[in-house]
Amino acid sequence: MSIAHFLRIERQMKGGISAHMVVHTHDPKFFMELAPDREAPNKVGRGIIKRIRVPNSWAGDYGSYGEFIAEAQEFFGRSFADPVAKAETRRFQT
């Protein structure tokens, strides 16, 4: 499982409220809606799960995809961190 397979989408709703969605872009594809944990030290934490949408094929195999859900929460927390500077690109002459 790779954290690169996740994507966070932030959407501004009416009243200045923002909705956060985390999407797993590779198989198994799924979607989670999370809210920042305002009681966490950084006011985001790993997020509070509001909704999960999974394919029908996931029914009954909770142990297998529990790891994906935990990884999505970890990704959610990391996605609010400051961006890391891109490493210097080296160009080789041929």
Side-chain angles (χ1 to χ4, degrees):
M1 177 174 2
S2 172
I3 206 160
H5 294 167
F6 291 98
L7 172 69
R8 180 174 65 91
I9 301 168
E10 183 175 357
R11 186 174 185 192
Q12 293 296 324
M13 307 299 275
K14 292 182 181 178
I17 299 171
S18 61
H20 302 273
M21 282 68 79
V22 173
V23 179
H24 188 256
T25 59
H26 288 73
D27 286 332
K29 295 178 178 155
F30 69 94
F31 155 90
M32 289 176 61
E33 183 177 349
L34 296 120
D37 184 359
R38 299 294 177 205
E39 295 182 10
N42 65 353
K43 302 294 185 202
V44 174
R46 292 183 61 198
I48 299 170
I49 299 173
K50 294 176 71 177
R51 178 174 39 168
I52 300 174
R53 297 190 81 157
V54 298
N56 286 340
S57 61
W58 277 31
D61 196 12
Y62 303 110
S64 297
Y65 52 81
E67 295 174 23
F68 286 102
I69 292 170
E71 192 70 24
Q73 280 189 288
E74 184 67 29
F75 170 79
F76 177 77
R78 288 183 187 180
S79 69
F80 285 92
D82 292 332
V84 177
K86 184 177 177 181
E88 183 179 325
T89 304
R90 296 182 182 169
R91 295 182 180 162
F92 296 100
Q93 295 179 351
T94 56

